[in-house]
Amino acid sequence: MKLAVAVLLAGLPAAAQAGCFGAGEPLFHCRIEGSARQVDICLQDGVALYRFGPMDGAAEMILARRVEDVDLRPWNGIGRWLHEALRFTNGETAYEISYGIDRLNETHVVEARIAIHESGREIARLACRPETVLGLDFMPLFEAKLAAGQSWCPEAGEWRADCVAQ
């Protein structure tokens, strides 16, 4: 699965380092459709960072979460659509970043969005401008979660410290 994702994404541009902080590793970047704002997701020293704000200014929001506290839904390795999502929580509010690529479409157009949930209910959905979506590499976060002692349990669809195949 890891190799298939790498091969498919190899032709896509790498994320802009400017969206990360210092030595942060870029995982995702996009500009919001119809807005002068952008979203950047970075990984640095076991901490995942979510930055939202104007392209040429200070961030309106920065969330820093230990990798154990970020919910990652990795691609299951099957199907036409390569799709992954991750979620940062801030109290009762959750910011879900997701992308999908139609593997059968030769242009590999990326669809990405940020969905904002409050108390479990979606209150906003922000579409990314497809030509600005960069990175699409959640594998470093996956590996950081493994290093932190979590295991992905595909049967249960969740991260656990003690995943046992069913």
Side-chain angles (χ1 to χ4, degrees):
M1 176 172 68
K2 186 175 179 178
L3 179 60
V5 173
V7 169
L8 181 60
L9 299 179
L12 298 174
Q17 187 70 26
C20 289
F21 310 98
E25 182 176 359
L27 305 179
F28 179 86
H29 166 88
C30 85
R31 293 183 180 172
I32 303 302
E33 189 76 50
S35 171
R37 290 176 174 78
Q38 65 186 27
V39 170
D40 291 287
I41 308 297
C42 303
L43 181 63
Q44 184 171 356
D45 299 326
V47 175
L49 300 155
Y50 170 94
R51 180 201 181 277
F52 176 84
M55 294 178 280
D56 298 322
E60 293 174 16
M61 178 187 307
I62 296 176
L63 298 175
R65 300 291 182 261
R66 296 176 325 164
V67 296
E68 303 96 277
D69 298 328
V70 177
D71 186 27
L72 169 64
R73 301 295 166 164
W75 180 48
N76 63 10
I78 59 173
R80 179 179 183 147
W81 284 86
L82 184 158
H83 177 269
E84 294 186 306
L86 55 87
R87 182 180 283 224
F88 286 79
T89 57
N90 189 23
E92 292 294 316
T93 307
Y95 302 87
E96 182 176 279
I97 300 88
S98 64
Y99 73 87
I101 301 171
D102 182 348
R103 297 183 317 135
L104 300 181
N105 183 329
E106 291 180 14
T107 62
H108 298 302
V109 174
V110 177
E111 294 181 15
R113 68 179 171 101
I114 293 82
I116 303 167
H117 300 263
E118 196 166 281
S119 301
R121 187 175 61 90
E122 186 174 297
I123 60 170
R125 183 178 293 214
L126 308 172
C128 292
R129 290 178 31 208
E131 71 277 8
T132 69
V133 177
L134 304 172
L136 303 178
D137 189 5
F138 294 169
M139 187 54 70
L141 180 60
F142 186 95
E143 292 169 346
K145 290 176 82 59
L146 293 176
Q150 293 183 318
S151 297
W152 175 245
C153 303
E155 298 83 10
E158 62 186 17
W159 289 90
R160 294 187 191 159
D162 61 346
C163 184
V164 178
Q166 298 177 358

